[in-house]
Amino acid sequence: MSPRLSICVPSRNRQVSFRQTIRDLLANPRGDVEFVFADNSDDGAVMDAFIASLRDPRIRYLKSSDHPLPIQDNWDRTIAAASGEWIVFIGDDDYVDPDVIDTIAEIAIRRPTVDAVGWNRMSFKWPEYRPFRGNTCLSLGNSVTLADRDKQFRTMFLWEGAAPIPKVAFGAYHGAVRRDVMERIRTTFCGRYFEHPTVDFDCSFKLLLTARELVYVDRPFSVLGTTSASNSAAVGRFDRVGEIHDEMSGREASSFEDPAFPFTSRLGVASSILAAQHWFKTKYGIRFDGWEENFTHALAIDCGHAEDKAGFDRHAAQCRDALSKWQGGRFLAAFNPCFLPRRNSGVYTGLRGQYLFIDETIAACRTPAEFYGIAQSVLEPPSELKYQFDRAKHLAPMVSAA
């Protein structure tokens, strides 16, 4: 069967989780899905031998080159090798249900102009990385609705909700985008699919400006995994964040950094996303006003997630220094971080509204795929999803890049 869905998994130097993720994806036997695996490791021999042992015709494998590629180049070649009508990217320590293509296809039949589908996501820390006890959240919702594009714009670019990571559900990372929309992004902007090293948000910025309809499924179809080698494991560990920033700066072109702009990925997740936004808005002549105070609140929340009190104090001082150099320090008063110590005893489990919180150690799950299997026993099956497109709010008109 010709693939309707391409599941793309780029990787670099994380062969253990990469191999397990590949095994878990291939366990689904359906023939209308292809898997594009792109290795970008210093030593490609490990993955070369592993892929050769699989002999699955659904695999498209891209070997490591003779030198490490920038992350956006690795993602670009991954999508270039994909042939499915719909594209999904996940990390090499994540999981997505290949059967999501059935729901995507049903949405496309009902709304032929839909260009991207987002869904709820779960999180899972692999057993080798659990520095403290935690829970994970399952949405028990089952609605399928048109997204309020204006709200997505405000959340992304105006930082409404003041979350360190803007809660925008649409992009190629843990979401599905039509292949022809990715081609539209390539031709509209810079002649490539992914331009900025913050590849997930780079895609989301451009998708919000070019897509027609966006549909959201309030049911999880994928799991965001974290291992000790994951970038997400550096959240709150700001010394490690700085190391990642330095590693990135050594590999990437300096044109992504504005020396006059004080916020970089060294200052944490929120600052990293803002730096990518600043680059994007500057390059393409796009302006959004009234976001500064919301961002400052998001920066404070991110700062509060420091691993320990000493790290919190150091990072708060660095953030204040950056704020003092920005617009004459006018937003310093809005920066009021509060240290949130991690609790090592007790973890909440139970039902809150439509959200079920469960202990992440449930059933001794070893991988995101195993955890997803447990969740499947709780979640309503996709066949029971409620399509409520008539309840959608008016979508804001599309905006063209300057």
Side-chain angles (χ1 to χ4, degrees):
M1 297 174 63
S2 59
R4 294 188 295 168
L5 176 67
S6 295
I7 296 178
C8 301
V9 190
S11 178
R12 172 166 169 75
N13 290 341
R14 298 205 296 231
Q15 293 92 339
V16 173
S17 61
F18 193 19
R19 285 180 293 183
Q20 184 60 54
T21 296
I22 290 172
R23 293 188 193 100
D24 291 335
L25 290 171
L26 296 179
N28 187 306
R30 64 184 307 149
D32 58 350
V33 176
E34 71 174 2
F35 303 96
V36 187
F37 303 129
D39 191 32
N40 189 29
S41 298
D42 296 325
D43 180 5
V46 174
M47 292 309 302
D48 291 351
F50 175 72
I51 294 294
S53 71
L54 298 175
R55 304 190 181 191
D56 191 316
R58 299 173 298 170
I59 293 176
R60 294 194 175 198
Y61 176 57
L62 305 179
K63 296 183 177 184
S64 295
S65 64
D66 57 1
H67 62 280
L69 299 173
I71 185 172
Q72 62 269 41
D73 289 356
N74 197 37
W75 281 49
D76 246 37
R77 69 174 185 145
T78 305
I79 196 172
S83 60
E85 179 185 358
W86 291 86
I87 306 291
V88 173
F89 275 77
I90 62 170
D92 55 17
D93 50 9
D94 300 336
Y95 181 73
V96 63
D97 185 354
D99 289 336
V100 71
I101 186 57
D102 292 330
T103 298
I104 295 170
E106 180 65 24
I107 291 170
I109 290 172
R110 294 171 183 249
R111 303 294 303 192
T113 55
V114 63
D115 279 338
V117 178
W119 51 76
N120 224 310
R121 307 154 189 173
M122 298 177 288
S123 61
F124 177 82
K125 292 195 290 292
W126 291 56
E128 57 88 17
Y129 175 71
R130 287 182 182 154
F132 55 92
R133 288 191 63 193
N135 59 14
T136 191
C137 177
L138 280 67
S139 169
L140 303 181
N142 70 344
S143 62
V144 183
T145 58
L146 288 174
D148 183 340
R149 187 198 297 272
D150 182 60
K151 183 177 180 180
Q152 293 287 300
F153 268 102
R154 296 196 308 270
T155 300
M156 175 67 82
F157 293 108
L158 300 185
W159 291 80
E160 286 194 357
I165 301 176
K167 296 178 181 179
V168 174
F170 300 99
Y173 182 63
H174 283 268
V177 181
R178 282 192 190 271
R179 174 58 188 258
D180 59 2
V181 177
M182 294 303 299
E183 294 298 335
R184 190 187 312 157
I185 286 174
R186 183 178 64 83
T187 57
T188 299
F189 292 93
C190 65
R192 58 183 301 158
Y193 305 105
F194 302 100
E195 187 176 5
H196 192 276
T198 308
V199 283
D200 49 351
F201 279 90
D202 175 75
C203 181
S204 292
F205 300 156
K206 295 169 181 177
L207 182 64
L208 287 177
L209 294 176
T210 57
R212 295 169 297 176
E213 288 186 339
L214 308 168
V215 168
Y216 182 69
V217 184
D218 196 7
R219 179 199 188 275
F221 276 104
S222 63
V223 182
L224 291 154
T226 302
T227 68
S228 57
S230 304
N231 285 349
S232 55
V235 172
R237 298 165 53 210
F238 294 109
D239 290 341
R240 175 57 185 148
V241 170
E243 292 173 2
I244 294 172
H245 172 85
D246 293 340
E247 292 166 3
M248 187 73 71
S249 298
R251 295 198 304 265
E252 312 296 351
S254 60
S255 58
F256 294 116
E257 296 285 349
D258 179 355
F261 193 65
F263 300 102
T264 70
S265 56
R266 176 177 284 279
L267 282 181
V269 175
S271 180
S272 178
I273 294 169
L274 181 66
Q277 281 187 9
H278 177 73
W279 164 85
F280 175 67
K281 291 185 291 185
T282 300
K283 178 168 183 178
Y284 292 105
I286 298 168
R287 179 173 176 175
F288 297 95
D289 296 320
W291 54 270
E292 293 88 350
E293 188 165 332
N294 288 336
F295 165 74
T296 304
H297 293 317
L299 187 69
I301 294 170
D302 189 34
C303 185
H305 291 152
E307 189 174 30
D308 52 45
K309 184 61 166 59
F312 167 79
D313 291 338
R314 287 194 304 271
H315 193 68
Q318 292 171 347
C319 289
R320 288 193 178 92
D321 181 62
L323 287 164
S324 69
K325 298 174 182 176
W326 181 49
Q327 298 194 24
R330 58 184 289 220
F331 295 102
L332 263 172
F335 182 70
N336 297 295
C338 179
F339 177 53
L340 302 171
R342 296 176 175 179
R343 296 179 179 177
N344 293 318
S345 61
V347 57
Y348 174 77
T349 59
L351 190 65
R352 287 184 181 174
Q354 72 169 50
Y355 298 100
L356 177 65
F357 293 82
I358 62 176
D359 192 310
E360 65 186 355
T361 64
I362 187 170
C365 292
R366 298 168 300 166
T367 69
E370 288 186 4
F371 177 74
Y372 184 81
I374 294 295
Q376 287 271 63
S377 66
V378 177
L379 302 170
E380 288 195 73
S383 59
E384 299 299 317
L385 290 170
K386 308 300 183 186
Y387 295 84
Q388 300 172 334
F389 297 131
D390 57 320
R391 300 184 186 181
K393 296 180 180 180
H394 176 69
L395 298 183
M398 286 190 296
V399 179
S400 298

